[in-house]
Amino acid sequence: WVPSTWRELADDVRRVADDLRAGGVRKGDRVAVSGRTGREWLLVELAVLSLGGVVVGIDPHAPAEQAAFVLRHSQARFLVTDTRQGLERLPTAARDELVATAVWD
């Protein structure tokens, strides 16, 4: 547990939103998030929402085919995951359909 102020949270959300915007996320875009729940997940979720995007949650323990199905059917263009392995476990075809990916580990 690491305490933080509302100001610190807002500043961190702004920084993540700036990074997502620089990566191409725009209003209405679907951004998939897969990883451990925690502060990082919250920052990504709030940043996506602040940009007018849609958060698509993917269970990090879901089979690769199920994660690819969610990506495809949600029309997610971006993926943020907690580990490089979370990204690498996806089928190549699913990764190729994404505009950008990011790892917060």
Side-chain angles (χ1 to χ4, degrees), residues 6-85:
W6 288 110
R7 170 70 64 199
E8 290 168 332
L9 178 66
D11 290 345
D12 289 345
V13 168
R14 256 189 300 283
R15 277 192 286 280
V16 173
D18 288 346
D19 289 344
L20 291 171
R21 187 181 304 109
V25 176
R26 300 293 180 259
K27 184 177 182 176
D29 283 342
R30 287 154 182 83
V31 179
V33 184
S34 178
R36 304 175 301 275
T37 55
R39 190 169 199 277
E40 293 82 2
W41 177 287
L42 177 65
L43 292 175
V44 172
E45 181 175 29
L46 293 175
V48 170
L49 294 173
S50 75
L51 295 173
V54 177
V55 177
V56 177
I58 298 178
D59 182 342
H61 304 293
E65 295 76 23
Q66 183 179 2
F69 176 88
V70 172
L71 285 171
R72 192 171 31 261
H73 288 275
S74 68
Q75 298 177 344
R77 299 180 60 222
F78 302 90
L79 171 66
V80 181
T81 185
D82 62 345
T83 64
R84 175 133 322 268
Q85 292 81 10

